[in-house]
Amino acid sequence: MLSPFSNQFSSPLLPDNLQQLIRAQAPGNRLAIAITDTRVSRNGQEKSIENIWLTDEELQQLNRFSFDKRRAEWLSGRICAKQAALELLNIADDSRVMQPHDIVIETNLAGRPYLRVNSTTSFSDLDISISHSHDMAVSIAARGLCGVDIQLLNDTLFKVRQKYCDDSEAAILDVITDDQLLQLGRLWVGKEAVRKCLSPIQLLGFLEIQLERSTI
């Protein structure tokens, strides 16, 4: 589902069938997702976008980046994370509609993002995950551990295949489509999302995660 704040920044890039699948896998408003093209934040209105979405503390973090591409990735990822988090928070408590400045996205020592509210309150039951790749950014928020990944389909997936895909997994993916690049892309993002989801418990290697079946 797209956050009600999505019309301020992101395009409706989620196809209907993907939104329906997400709702089916996480019923009861327990998961929200936002996705955007990072080039939206480089449209000549950067300052306006930054001021709408970022707190003073986050603006200071943003200004530490010297490269425009990295700034756009960081900004887009934070905005997507806030969109998704606000979706869940405002569903849970409709007595007060929270705004982007009411929440801060921080990272722990391991680099995992988490949500903080009003400088003191954190939501231990609400987890967030952020990913970006080649002008795209995505984030999910969930009532429970979650992970998300986005990846440009390119030949690199073939070059490092032995690091994340074995023969049994390739056979499962071959049933879905004969497009090998698409197969490997789905496996990569799936395993990376699982690794992010479980990182507070244990950081797993790609080959420690085994694909047994696919629902797509």
Side-chain angles (χ1 to χ4, degrees), residues 24-64:
Q25 297 298 318
N29 295 319
R30 296 186 59 85
L31 186 149
I33 184 168
I35 186 170
T36 192
D37 188 323
T38 65
R39 289 169 293 187
V40 175
S41 65
R42 290 177 279 174
N43 62 0
Q45 300 181 13
E46 290 88 347
K47 291 300 180 183
S48 175
I49 293 173
E50 293 166 9
N51 290 331
I52 289 172
W53 286 97
L54 303 182
T55 63
D56 290 342
E57 180 181 346
E58 290 170 322
L59 283 170
Q60 291 179 7
Q61 296 179 57
L62 176 67
N63 289 331
R64 297 191 186 111

Side-chain angles (χ1 to χ4, degrees), residues 52-181:
I52 289 172
W53 286 97
L54 303 182
T55 63
D56 290 342
E57 180 181 346
E58 290 170 322
L59 283 170
Q60 291 179 7
Q61 296 179 57
L62 176 67
N63 289 331
R64 297 191 186 111
F65 296 107
S66 57
F67 294 102
D68 289 343
K69 183 177 183 295
R70 183 67 186 102
R71 283 174 62 92
E73 289 174 344
W74 190 92
L75 174 62
S76 301
R78 262 36 184 195
I79 292 175
C80 284
K82 287 194 175 190
Q83 287 180 5
L86 287 169
E87 175 79 26
L88 294 190
L89 291 173
N90 287 326
I91 287 175
D93 182 8
D94 58 5
S95 62
R96 172 176 176 263
V97 177
M98 299 186 71
Q99 302 293 331
H101 282 197
D102 292 329
I103 63 178
V104 179
I105 306 298
E106 294 190 339
T107 55
N108 61 21
L109 294 177
R112 185 180 178 86
Y114 67 92
L115 178 67
R116 177 167 58 79
V117 178
N118 294 332
S119 76
T120 56
T121 305
S122 63
F123 288 84
S124 58
D125 68 328
L126 196 153
D127 193 32
I128 56 175
S129 181
I130 302 170
S131 181
H132 42 69
S133 176
H134 292 81
D135 295 323
M136 298 298 295
V138 64
S139 178
I140 60 174
R143 297 289 182 181
L145 293 177
C146 66
V148 70
D149 191 62
I150 189 170
Q151 176 65 42
L152 178 70
L153 298 178
N154 58 32
D155 289 344
T156 301
L157 291 168
F158 286 110
K159 294 177 181 178
V160 298
R161 172 178 171 168
Q162 70 279 5
K163 295 182 179 180
Y164 65 94
C165 179
D166 63 25
D167 292 341
S168 65
E169 291 171 324
I172 293 172
L173 293 169
D174 192 49
V175 175
I176 303 170
T177 174
D178 58 3
D179 186 332
Q180 291 188 343
L181 183 57

